[in-house]
Amino acid sequence: MADEKLLRLVEAAKMYYQLDYGQQEIAKRLGISRPTVSRLLVQAKQEGIVQIKIFNPTEDVEQIARQVKEKFQLKHCVVTPVASFEDPLIKEKLGGAAADYLYKIVESGDTIGITWGTTIYQLVKKMQPKNVKDVTIVQLNGGVSYSESNTYAAEIVNGLANAFNTTPHFLPVPAIVDSNVVKEAIVADRHVKKTLELGKKANIAIYTVGEPDVQSTLMQAGYFFDKDIEILRKNKTVGDICSRFINQEGLICNETLNDRTIGIQLSDLAEKEYGILLAGGASKIDGIYGALTGRYANILITDQYTARSLLEMESD
């Protein structure tokens, strides 16, 4: 191809694809007809001067979801695309994806156990009512009496109950108490015992991963003794599930603290028909990995950045 013709092809292609000039404007600038410009643009693609690549974000996240599902042997994985790796945006997008997923799977007679937190709250905010019967909603773990950020425990249980036109079952007790003796006295109460049994029998459970160590809502609430914190750090905690702290292998980091915790046992979570882990963001990656390694969830709903990070992490 003559240099002059090649230069004209490149010049026309740059104007059209990089500078967003219309074909009429290009024709005027190059002193040629508009049909000639059209032919030049077609030829530029045929000659490989212009190469168009279409990125389909839906296709990309579906591929990532399949890889995560295979790596962690999950029943299902939903990876939702987010525009940036920022916590508020991630929580909002994950909440919407989880609401859609829950709407699809809930049937009459189901029992749904749910925990608290800002990510779970986004799910409830976006949950559409579904015409099903005899659905039971139950809180899976105790709450906190003081937190610098709202945990939305009551709003979550009430909101989900409203979506399925049912009566909520609350667990109005602390997530963690000072001693095992206190815990045993609380869980012996027949109302608390009934709620805990409902949570254990739930066929659907929805929960997230709390941030580790000093960032934990529970730690900020003042539920830990100094020795609790020391043990958690020593055992390299990566986060908590339903107020139970784990390491990257999914093992309990502090057995004494775990014995003082009121709520569903992790072994019971692992038995759920739908154990839905809803979490994403940089601070949650290790915790999600630990939860999946411990096989406490069989469904993961996350964002594409977190999913890619999980794929890059080495399995033991």
Side-chain angles (χ1 to χ4, degrees):
M1 185 183 296
D3 288 346
E4 184 178 346
K5 188 174 182 181
L6 177 60
L7 288 174
R8 177 168 285 192
L9 280 176
V10 173
E11 193 171 3
K14 282 185 175 180
M15 286 183 183
Y16 188 75
Y17 290 105
Q18 293 184 344
L19 301 178
D20 291 327
Y21 289 167
Q23 292 188 18
Q24 192 62 48
E25 178 66 17
I26 296 171
K28 182 178 179 181
R29 287 174 176 268
L30 296 181
I32 57 179
S33 67
R34 194 199 61 75
T36 300
V37 172
S38 180
R39 287 194 296 271
L40 287 175
L41 294 174
V42 171
Q43 188 176 355
K45 287 191 284 185
Q46 292 173 341
E47 298 291 341
I49 293 169
V50 172
Q51 299 180 16
I52 298 175
K53 182 179 180 182
I54 298 175
F55 173 71
N56 184 341
T58 303
E59 182 179 330
D60 185 49
V61 296
E62 287 177 355
Q63 181 180 353
I64 295 171
R66 286 193 296 270
Q67 293 172 341
V68 172
K69 177 184 175 182
E70 181 179 345
K71 177 173 181 176
F72 295 101
Q73 300 177 25
L74 301 173
K75 176 186 288 188
H76 198 193
C77 177
V78 177
V79 175
T80 187
V82 295
S84 64
F85 205 33
E86 298 177 1
D87 280 348
L89 176 62
I90 289 173
K91 289 177 180 180
E92 181 181 354
K93 291 291 186 180
L94 294 187
D100 290 342
Y101 186 81
L102 187 60
Y103 186 90
K104 291 176 184 177
I105 66 170
V106 172
E107 298 177 352
S108 295
D110 283 340
T111 297
I112 305 171
I114 196 160
T115 185
W116 40 261
T118 51
T119 306
I120 302 291
Y121 182 54
Q122 289 298 324
L123 179 163
V124 175
K125 284 177 64 177
K126 298 178 183 299
M127 192 73 222
Q128 295 297 314
K130 186 172 182 178
N131 186 21
V132 288
K133 298 180 179 179
D134 302 320
V135 170
T136 300
I137 307 298
V138 59
Q139 186 176 333
L140 289 175
N141 60 318
V144 295
S145 57
Y146 164 78
S147 175
E148 293 182 2
S149 59
N150 195 342
T151 63
Y152 299 101
E155 292 92 334
I156 288 168
V157 180
N158 270 323
L160 206 59
N162 288 337
F164 297 110
N165 193 30
T166 189
T167 302
H169 295 265
F170 292 95
L171 190 61
V173 298
I176 299 172
V177 293
D178 284 351
S179 70
N180 189 42
V181 173
V182 174
K183 174 193 167 179
E184 292 302 323
I186 292 173
V187 300
D189 176 86
R190 61 190 175 95
H191 301 291
V192 174
K193 188 175 182 179
K194 179 183 177 182
T195 303
L196 290 172
E197 283 298 316
L198 277 176
K200 184 176 181 178
K201 293 177 181 177
N203 63 309
I204 301 173
I206 308 165
Y207 39 97
T208 189
V209 174
E211 295 185 15
D213 218 6
V214 294
Q215 297 170 305
S216 165
T217 299
L218 295 168
M219 189 173 292
Q220 293 176 359
Y223 285 168
F224 296 170
F225 299 119
D226 289 342
K227 60 182 179 181
D228 294 327
I229 299 171
E230 183 181 343
I231 293 172
L232 289 175
R233 288 175 177 168
K234 179 182 177 182
N235 292 332
K236 299 180 180 178
T237 181
V238 293
D240 74 277
I241 308 169
C242 296
S243 308
R244 300 185 186 275
F245 287 80
I246 59 171
N247 63 17
Q248 202 169 38
E249 287 71 49
L251 302 175
I252 293 294
C253 286
N254 186 332
E255 291 291 351
T256 303
L257 181 64
N258 194 57
D259 288 341
R260 291 161 31 212
T261 301
I262 302 176
I264 192 168
Q265 297 283 348
L266 296 187
S267 57
D268 292 325
L269 282 181
E271 299 298 320
K272 299 302 180 188
E273 178 184 2
Y274 295 98
I276 305 171
L277 178 60
L278 174 61
S283 63
K284 304 288 185 77
I285 293 169
D286 287 341
I288 296 169
Y289 186 89
L292 297 180
T293 302
R295 301 195 181 283
Y296 302 125
N298 55 25
I299 294 155
L300 173 66
I301 300 177
T302 192
D303 62 275
Q304 82 270 29
Y305 298 109
T306 301
R308 287 195 184 104
S309 297
L310 292 169
L311 291 173
E312 291 168 0
M313 295 177 73
E314 293 294 331
S315 300
D316 290 337

mmCIF file of all heavy atoms in Angstrom, residues 73-108:
data_model
loop_
_atom_site.group_PDB
_atom_site.id
_atom_site.type_symbol
_atom_site.label_atom_id
_atom_site.label_comp_id
_atom_site.label_asym_id
_atom_site.label_seq_id
_atom_site.Cartn_x
_atom_site.Cartn_y
_atom_site.Cartn_z
ATOM 1 N N GLN A 73 -16.115 -24.916 45.339
ATOM 2 C CA GLN A 73 -17.135 -25.972 45.294
ATOM 3 C C GLN A 73 -18.480 -25.488 45.834
ATOM 4 O O GLN A 73 -19.077 -26.093 46.742
ATOM 5 C CB GLN A 73 -16.646 -27.204 46.067
ATOM 6 C CG GLN A 73 -15.362 -27.787 45.493
ATOM 7 C CD GLN A 73 -14.834 -28.967 46.297
ATOM 8 O OE1 GLN A 73 -15.596 -29.646 46.971
ATOM 9 N NE2 GLN A 73 -13.538 -29.197 46.231
ATOM 10 N N LEU A 74 -18.948 -24.396 45.278
ATOM 11 C CA LEU A 74 -20.199 -23.783 45.706
ATOM 12 C C LEU A 74 -21.374 -24.288 44.895
ATOM 13 O O LEU A 74 -21.220 -24.765 43.770
ATOM 14 C CB LEU A 74 -20.103 -22.255 45.559
ATOM 15 C CG LEU A 74 -18.987 -21.558 46.335
ATOM 16 C CD1 LEU A 74 -18.923 -20.090 45.934
ATOM 17 C CD2 LEU A 74 -19.198 -21.699 47.822
ATOM 18 N N LYS A 75 -22.549 -24.157 45.462
ATOM 19 C CA LYS A 75 -23.786 -24.463 44.726
ATOM 20 C C LYS A 75 -24.030 -23.389 43.673
ATOM 21 O O LYS A 75 -24.474 -23.677 42.559
ATOM 22 C CB LYS A 75 -24.963 -24.535 45.705
ATOM 23 C CG LYS A 75 -26.313 -24.747 45.024
ATOM 24 C CD LYS A 75 -27.468 -24.661 46.018
ATOM 25 C CE LYS A 75 -27.511 -25.877 46.927
ATOM 26 N NZ LYS A 75 -28.758 -25.872 47.762
ATOM 27 N N HIS A 76 -23.733 -22.149 44.040
ATOM 28 C CA HIS A 76 -23.986 -21.025 43.132
ATOM 29 C C HIS A 76 -23.103 -19.851 43.543
ATOM 30 O O HIS A 76 -22.796 -19.679 44.726
ATOM 31 C CB HIS A 76 -25.464 -20.616 43.195
ATOM 32 C CG HIS A 76 -25.901 -19.796 42.020
ATOM 33 N ND1 HIS A 76 -27.098 -19.117 41.988
ATOM 34 C CD2 HIS A 76 -25.298 -19.536 40.826
ATOM 35 C CE1 HIS A 76 -27.225 -18.494 40.842
ATOM 36 N NE2 HIS A 76 -26.140 -18.723 40.124
ATOM 37 N N CYS A 77 -22.710 -19.064 42.561
ATOM 38 C CA CYS A 77 -21.953 -17.839 42.837
ATOM 39 C C CYS A 77 -22.504 -16.736 41.954
ATOM 40 O O CYS A 77 -22.674 -16.922 40.740
ATOM 41 C CB CYS A 77 -20.462 -18.040 42.566
ATOM 42 S SG CYS A 77 -19.473 -16.533 42.811
ATOM 43 N N VAL A 78 -22.805 -15.598 42.563
ATOM 44 C CA VAL A 78 -23.277 -14.425 41.830
ATOM 45 C C VAL A 78 -22.212 -13.335 41.967
ATOM 46 O O VAL A 78 -21.882 -12.924 43.080
ATOM 47 C CB VAL A 78 -24.624 -13.908 42.384
ATOM 48 C CG1 VAL A 78 -25.044 -12.639 41.650
ATOM 49 C CG2 VAL A 78 -25.690 -14.983 42.275
ATOM 50 N N VAL A 79 -21.672 -12.899 40.849
ATOM 51 C CA VAL A 79 -20.698 -11.806 40.847
ATOM 52 C C VAL A 79 -21.347 -10.628 40.138
ATOM 53 O O VAL A 79 -21.704 -10.723 38.963
ATOM 54 C CB VAL A 79 -19.388 -12.203 40.135
ATOM 55 C CG1 VAL A 79 -18.445 -11.002 40.053
ATOM 56 C CG2 VAL A 79 -18.717 -13.365 40.862
ATOM 57 N N THR A 80 -21.528 -9.546 40.864
ATOM 58 C CA THR A 80 -22.183 -8.376 40.287
ATOM 59 C C THR A 80 -21.151 -7.313 39.939
ATOM 60 O O THR A 80 -20.239 -7.048 40.731
ATOM 61 C CB THR A 80 -23.247 -7.811 41.258
ATOM 62 O OG1 THR A 80 -23.979 -6.768 40.609
ATOM 63 C CG2 THR A 80 -22.641 -7.263 42.523
ATOM 64 N N PRO A 81 -21.230 -6.714 38.747
ATOM 65 C CA PRO A 81 -20.248 -5.696 38.370
ATOM 66 C C PRO A 81 -20.472 -4.396 39.122
ATOM 67 O O PRO A 81 -21.604 -3.948 39.290
ATOM 68 C CB PRO A 81 -20.494 -5.517 36.864
ATOM 69 C CG PRO A 81 -21.911 -5.929 36.654
ATOM 70 C CD PRO A 81 -22.209 -6.991 37.674
ATOM 71 N N VAL A 82 -19.383 -3.799 39.600
ATOM 72 C CA VAL A 82 -19.446 -2.486 40.239
ATOM 73 C C VAL A 82 -18.442 -1.569 39.545
ATOM 74 O O VAL A 82 -17.425 -2.026 39.030
ATOM 75 C CB VAL A 82 -19.141 -2.558 41.755
ATOM 76 C CG1 VAL A 82 -20.202 -3.350 42.483
ATOM 77 C CG2 VAL A 82 -17.775 -3.170 42.008
ATOM 78 N N ALA A 83 -18.756 -0.287 39.534
ATOM 79 C CA ALA A 83 -17.922 0.658 38.791
ATOM 80 C C ALA A 83 -16.617 0.978 39.501
ATOM 81 O O ALA A 83 -15.610 1.320 38.868
ATOM 82 C CB ALA A 83 -18.705 1.945 38.538
ATOM 83 N N SER A 84 -16.604 0.883 40.825
ATOM 84 C CA SER A 84 -15.383 1.178 41.574
ATOM 85 C C SER A 84 -15.360 0.359 42.864
ATOM 86 O O SER A 84 -16.401 -0.106 43.333
ATOM 87 C CB SER A 84 -15.285 2.668 41.904
ATOM 88 O OG SER A 84 -16.337 3.061 42.773
ATOM 89 N N PHE A 85 -14.160 0.220 43.423
ATOM 90 C CA PHE A 85 -13.971 -0.614 44.607
ATOM 91 C C PHE A 85 -14.183 0.221 45.861
ATOM 92 O O PHE A 85 -13.299 0.372 46.699
ATOM 93 C CB PHE A 85 -12.571 -1.220 44.567
ATOM 94 C CG PHE A 85 -12.440 -2.514 45.339
ATOM 95 C CD1 PHE A 85 -13.489 -3.407 45.442
ATOM 96 C CD2 PHE A 85 -11.250 -2.853 45.959
ATOM 97 C CE1 PHE A 85 -13.376 -4.600 46.139
ATOM 98 C CE2 PHE A 85 -11.106 -4.041 46.658
ATOM 99 C CZ PHE A 85 -12.177 -4.909 46.745
ATOM 100 N N GLU A 86 -15.387 0.778 46.001
ATOM 101 C CA GLU A 86 -15.727 1.624 47.143
ATOM 102 C C GLU A 86 -16.856 0.963 47.926
ATOM 103 O O GLU A 86 -17.864 0.554 47.344
ATOM 104 C CB GLU A 86 -16.144 3.020 46.668
ATOM 105 C CG GLU A 86 -15.023 3.762 45.928
ATOM 106 C CD GLU A 86 -15.494 5.113 45.416
ATOM 107 O OE1 GLU A 86 -16.667 5.472 45.643
ATOM 108 O OE2 GLU A 86 -14.675 5.803 44.786
ATOM 109 N N ASP A 87 -16.698 0.886 49.245
ATOM 110 C CA ASP A 87 -17.622 0.131 50.083
ATOM 111 C C ASP A 87 -19.093 0.515 49.934
ATOM 112 O O ASP A 87 -19.948 -0.373 49.783
ATOM 113 C CB ASP A 87 -17.204 0.233 51.547
ATOM 114 C CG ASP A 87 -16.054 -0.722 51.873
ATOM 115 O OD1 ASP A 87 -15.765 -1.603 51.034
ATOM 116 O OD2 ASP A 87 -15.455 -0.599 52.952
ATOM 117 N N PRO A 88 -19.462 1.813 49.970
ATOM 118 C CA PRO A 88 -20.891 2.140 49.861
ATOM 119 C C PRO A 88 -21.501 1.651 48.548
ATOM 120 O O PRO A 88 -22.616 1.119 48.542
ATOM 121 C CB PRO A 88 -20.901 3.673 49.943
ATOM 122 C CG PRO A 88 -19.650 4.024 50.680
ATOM 123 C CD PRO A 88 -18.640 3.020 50.231
ATOM 124 N N LEU A 89 -20.768 1.809 47.455
ATOM 125 C CA LEU A 89 -21.270 1.370 46.157
ATOM 126 C C LEU A 89 -21.370 -0.154 46.105
ATOM 127 O O LEU A 89 -22.360 -0.713 45.619
ATOM 128 C CB LEU A 89 -20.352 1.861 45.039
ATOM 129 C CG LEU A 89 -20.703 1.388 43.621
ATOM 130 C CD1 LEU A 89 -22.078 1.890 43.220
ATOM 131 C CD2 LEU A 89 -19.646 1.854 42.627
ATOM 132 N N ILE A 90 -20.353 -0.832 46.621
ATOM 133 C CA ILE A 90 -20.347 -2.292 46.628
ATOM 134 C C ILE A 90 -21.530 -2.831 47.428
ATOM 135 O O ILE A 90 -22.250 -3.729 46.983
ATOM 136 C CB ILE A 90 -19.021 -2.830 47.198
ATOM 137 C CG1 ILE A 90 -17.886 -2.567 46.207
ATOM 138 C CG2 ILE A 90 -19.109 -4.323 47.496
ATOM 139 C CD1 ILE A 90 -16.515 -2.897 46.751
ATOM 140 N N LYS A 91 -21.757 -2.260 48.603
ATOM 141 C CA LYS A 91 -22.862 -2.727 49.452
ATOM 142 C C LYS A 91 -24.206 -2.540 48.767
ATOM 143 O O LYS A 91 -25.082 -3.414 48.829
ATOM 144 C CB LYS A 91 -22.830 -1.997 50.797
ATOM 145 C CG LYS A 91 -21.665 -2.413 51.682
ATOM 146 C CD LYS A 91 -21.621 -1.612 52.963
ATOM 147 C CE LYS A 91 -20.441 -2.065 53.829
ATOM 148 N NZ LYS A 91 -20.359 -1.317 55.101
ATOM 149 N N GLU A 92 -24.381 -1.416 48.112
ATOM 150 C CA GLU A 92 -25.643 -1.148 47.418
ATOM 151 C C GLU A 92 -25.867 -2.149 46.283
ATOM 152 O O GLU A 92 -26.960 -2.708 46.134
ATOM 153 C CB GLU A 92 -25.641 0.280 46.867
ATOM 154 C CG GLU A 92 -26.927 0.646 46.156
ATOM 155 C CD GLU A 92 -26.898 2.055 45.598
ATOM 156 O OE1 GLU A 92 -25.924 2.783 45.855
ATOM 157 O OE2 GLU A 92 -27.861 2.421 44.889
ATOM 158 N N LYS A 93 -24.835 -2.381 45.486
ATOM 159 C CA LYS A 93 -24.955 -3.307 44.358
ATOM 160 C C LYS A 93 -25.176 -4.749 44.839
ATOM 161 O O LYS A 93 -25.983 -5.489 44.271
ATOM 162 C CB LYS A 93 -23.696 -3.237 43.492
ATOM 163 C CG LYS A 93 -23.533 -1.932 42.728
ATOM 164 C CD LYS A 93 -24.578 -1.814 41.640
ATOM 165 C CE LYS A 93 -24.340 -0.588 40.783
ATOM 166 N NZ LYS A 93 -25.355 -0.458 39.705
ATOM 167 N N LEU A 94 -24.439 -5.141 45.870
ATOM 168 C CA LEU A 94 -24.595 -6.495 46.401
ATOM 169 C C LEU A 94 -25.985 -6.688 46.997
ATOM 170 O O LEU A 94 -26.584 -7.762 46.870
ATOM 171 C CB LEU A 94 -23.538 -6.786 47.462
ATOM 172 C CG LEU A 94 -22.081 -6.852 46.991
ATOM 173 C CD1 LEU A 94 -21.177 -7.323 48.127
ATOM 174 C CD2 LEU A 94 -21.926 -7.754 45.786
ATOM 175 N N GLY A 95 -26.487 -5.653 47.656
ATOM 176 C CA GLY A 95 -27.829 -5.731 48.229
ATOM 177 C C GLY A 95 -28.877 -5.985 47.159
ATOM 178 O O GLY A 95 -29.767 -6.813 47.326
ATOM 179 N N GLY A 96 -28.746 -5.286 46.037
ATOM 180 C CA GLY A 96 -29.680 -5.481 44.933
ATOM 181 C C GLY A 96 -29.592 -6.879 44.343
ATOM 182 O O GLY A 96 -30.616 -7.516 44.069
ATOM 183 N N ALA A 97 -28.359 -7.365 44.163
ATOM 184 C CA ALA A 97 -28.164 -8.711 43.605
ATOM 185 C C ALA A 97 -28.707 -9.771 44.547
ATOM 186 O O ALA A 97 -29.337 -10.758 44.116
ATOM 187 C CB ALA A 97 -26.678 -8.946 43.338
ATOM 188 N N ALA A 98 -28.489 -9.589 45.839
ATOM 189 C CA ALA A 98 -28.969 -10.559 46.829
ATOM 190 C C ALA A 98 -30.495 -10.547 46.921
ATOM 191 O O ALA A 98 -31.128 -11.592 47.084
ATOM 192 C CB ALA A 98 -28.357 -10.265 48.190
ATOM 193 N N ALA A 99 -31.088 -9.365 46.815
ATOM 194 C CA ALA A 99 -32.550 -9.261 46.848
ATOM 195 C C ALA A 99 -33.161 -10.011 45.666
ATOM 196 O O ALA A 99 -34.161 -10.727 45.813
ATOM 197 C CB ALA A 99 -32.980 -7.798 46.838
ATOM 198 N N ASP A 100 -32.553 -9.860 44.502
ATOM 199 C CA ASP A 100 -33.042 -10.567 43.313
ATOM 200 C C ASP A 100 -32.915 -12.082 43.493
ATOM 201 O O ASP A 100 -33.828 -12.840 43.138
ATOM 202 C CB ASP A 100 -32.254 -10.137 42.071
ATOM 203 C CG ASP A 100 -32.553 -8.704 41.657
ATOM 204 O OD1 ASP A 100 -33.591 -8.168 42.089
ATOM 205 O OD2 ASP A 100 -31.748 -8.126 40.906
ATOM 206 N N TYR A 101 -31.785 -12.498 44.036
ATOM 207 C CA TYR A 101 -31.552 -13.938 44.220
ATOM 208 C C TYR A 101 -32.526 -14.530 45.237
ATOM 209 O O TYR A 101 -33.120 -15.592 45.003
ATOM 210 C CB TYR A 101 -30.112 -14.180 44.671
ATOM 211 C CG TYR A 101 -29.749 -15.643 44.743
ATOM 212 C CD1 TYR A 101 -29.400 -16.341 43.601
ATOM 213 C CD2 TYR A 101 -29.779 -16.335 45.952
ATOM 214 C CE1 TYR A 101 -29.084 -17.693 43.643
ATOM 215 C CE2 TYR A 101 -29.475 -17.688 46.013
ATOM 216 C CZ TYR A 101 -29.123 -18.357 44.863
ATOM 217 O OH TYR A 101 -28.827 -19.692 44.914
ATOM 218 N N LEU A 102 -32.717 -13.829 46.344
ATOM 219 C CA LEU A 102 -33.622 -14.312 47.379
ATOM 220 C C LEU A 102 -35.048 -14.401 46.860
ATOM 221 O O LEU A 102 -35.771 -15.363 47.150
ATOM 222 C CB LEU A 102 -33.545 -13.402 48.604
ATOM 223 C CG LEU A 102 -34.318 -13.862 49.842
ATOM 224 C CD1 LEU A 102 -33.813 -15.215 50.334
ATOM 225 C CD2 LEU A 102 -34.207 -12.821 50.962
ATOM 226 N N TYR A 103 -35.443 -13.399 46.083
ATOM 227 C CA TYR A 103 -36.800 -13.398 45.516
ATOM 228 C C TYR A 103 -37.037 -14.658 44.673
ATOM 229 O O TYR A 103 -38.118 -15.246 44.697
ATOM 230 C CB TYR A 103 -37.004 -12.149 44.663
ATOM 231 C CG TYR A 103 -38.415 -11.972 44.149
ATOM 232 C CD1 TYR A 103 -39.355 -11.265 44.886
ATOM 233 C CD2 TYR A 103 -38.806 -12.526 42.930
ATOM 234 C CE1 TYR A 103 -40.659 -11.113 44.429
ATOM 235 C CE2 TYR A 103 -40.097 -12.383 42.462
ATOM 236 C CZ TYR A 103 -41.021 -11.672 43.208
ATOM 237 O OH TYR A 103 -42.299 -11.530 42.754
ATOM 238 N N LYS A 104 -36.016 -15.076 43.939
ATOM 239 C CA LYS A 104 -36.141 -16.241 43.056
ATOM 240 C C LYS A 104 -36.285 -17.554 43.835
ATOM 241 O O LYS A 104 -37.025 -18.445 43.428
ATOM 242 C CB LYS A 104 -34.923 -16.331 42.125
ATOM 243 C CG LYS A 104 -34.846 -15.239 41.086
ATOM 244 C CD LYS A 104 -33.558 -15.359 40.284
ATOM 245 C CE LYS A 104 -33.411 -14.210 39.305
ATOM 246 N NZ LYS A 104 -32.110 -14.285 38.573
ATOM 247 N N ILE A 105 -35.553 -17.675 44.943
ATOM 248 C CA ILE A 105 -35.491 -18.988 45.595
ATOM 249 C C ILE A 105 -36.535 -19.199 46.683
ATOM 250 O O ILE A 105 -36.867 -20.347 47.011
ATOM 251 C CB ILE A 105 -34.093 -19.256 46.195
ATOM 252 C CG1 ILE A 105 -33.789 -18.290 47.352
ATOM 253 C CG2 ILE A 105 -33.014 -19.172 45.116
ATOM 254 C CD1 ILE A 105 -32.536 -18.653 48.132
ATOM 255 N N VAL A 106 -37.086 -18.143 47.262
ATOM 256 C CA VAL A 106 -38.008 -18.311 48.402
ATOM 257 C C VAL A 106 -39.325 -18.920 47.950
ATOM 258 O O VAL A 106 -39.940 -18.484 46.973
ATOM 259 C CB VAL A 106 -38.264 -16.967 49.110
ATOM 260 C CG1 VAL A 106 -39.363 -17.111 50.156
ATOM 261 C CG2 VAL A 106 -36.994 -16.485 49.771
ATOM 262 N N GLU A 107 -39.747 -19.942 48.681
ATOM 263 C CA GLU A 107 -41.015 -20.613 48.411
ATOM 264 C C GLU A 107 -41.842 -20.673 49.694
ATOM 265 O O GLU A 107 -41.321 -20.479 50.795
ATOM 266 C CB GLU A 107 -40.763 -22.028 47.888
ATOM 267 C CG GLU A 107 -39.988 -22.069 46.578
ATOM 268 C CD GLU A 107 -39.702 -23.482 46.124
ATOM 269 O OE1 GLU A 107 -39.965 -24.429 46.904
ATOM 270 O OE2 GLU A 107 -39.214 -23.658 44.990
ATOM 271 N N SER A 108 -43.104 -20.959 49.543
ATOM 272 C CA SER A 108 -43.993 -21.075 50.704
ATOM 273 C C SER A 108 -43.454 -22.140 51.657
ATOM 274 O O SER A 108 -43.003 -23.207 51.233
ATOM 275 C CB SER A 108 -45.402 -21.453 50.259
ATOM 276 O OG SER A 108 -45.973 -20.415 49.488
#
